Amino acid sequence: MKNAILSSRSLAKSYAADDVQTHVLGSVDLDLYEGDFTTIMGPSGSGKSTLLYCLSGMDAPTAGDVTFQGTNIAHASERELAELRAQSFGFVFQAAHLVSNLTLFENVAVPGYLKQGRSVSETRAAAQALIERMGLTDVAAHLPSQSSGGQQQRCAVARAVVNDPAIVFADEPTGALNRANSLEVLALLGELNEQGQTVLMVTHDVKSAIRGNRVLYFEDGDVRGELEMPVWDASRAQDETYVRDRETQATAWLASLSW
């Protein structure tokens, strides 16, 4: 039986502007399971990214609870949330958001210095191992402006996991990349997941969503459907039949939900 690592109950988010109340999240009940690669799909404006931000403590919900490893974080203080994000959560966004005056190596290493119980030398070793793992050794001393978009996003993935987070939250991580770089980033996330990393990824792309073993369909501020898939087999990533079959399954399921 899978263990829920993060759960929401009656999670709601509203915004008020010019005396108009906009409800982005309805009353979301959701469990994320340890070791899963969960992807969230849905129309633009459906609240996918808002859900991810509320689950991760990047945004405060209007109502409801978010429980991480037994602790309700929905209304934690900003200081508590900052500590939680530093120790337990990793983030990858559509834009890499690297620090422009730091090298790629430094962008990976700096968040690692916040990890409790780890020395500077251990952090540098962890950052170096990730730089090598992400194929960035030759550009590790480059600034982001001297690197390609794909290299920057691979650096962002390394930065997201340098602290061995319990969960990696990814919001359209391939949205600004070409297909080759997208596949590379997805392969890296899949490799991390294969080694036990829990991943929650928002995407609008079916080809990306099928990398997960669980696909959620989000519409009008709530989960409207769920598709369980076999764990992605990275050794068959070049098998066109394998990939097409997964894509066909997901596409048919989405069509049944009026995607």
Side-chain angles (χ1 to χ4, degrees), residues 179 183 206-211 227 229-230 232-233 236-254:
R179 194 61 194 162
L183 290 173
V206 175
K207 294 180 184 295
S208 298
I210 61 172
R211 297 300 182 105
L227 175 67
M229 303 190 78
W232 173 262
D233 185 350
R236 301 184 64 186
Q238 304 303 317
D239 183 338
E240 293 184 5
T241 300
Y242 174 71
V243 175
R244 187 172 58 249
D245 286 349
R246 287 180 74 94
E247 190 174 345
T248 298
Q249 180 186 358
T251 301
W253 171 72
L254 289 167

Side-chain angles (χ1 to χ4, degrees), residues 105 124-134:
F105 175 84
R124 292 185 64 84
Q128 182 60 40
L130 283 166
I131 285 288
E132 294 172 4
R133 184 176 183 180
M134 301 297 170

Side-chain angles (χ1 to χ4, degrees), residues 10 32 49 62 114 131 133 136 208 239:
S10 303
L32 296 180
S49 293
T62 305
L114 301 175
I131 285 288
R133 184 176 183 180
L136 296 171
S208 298
D239 183 338

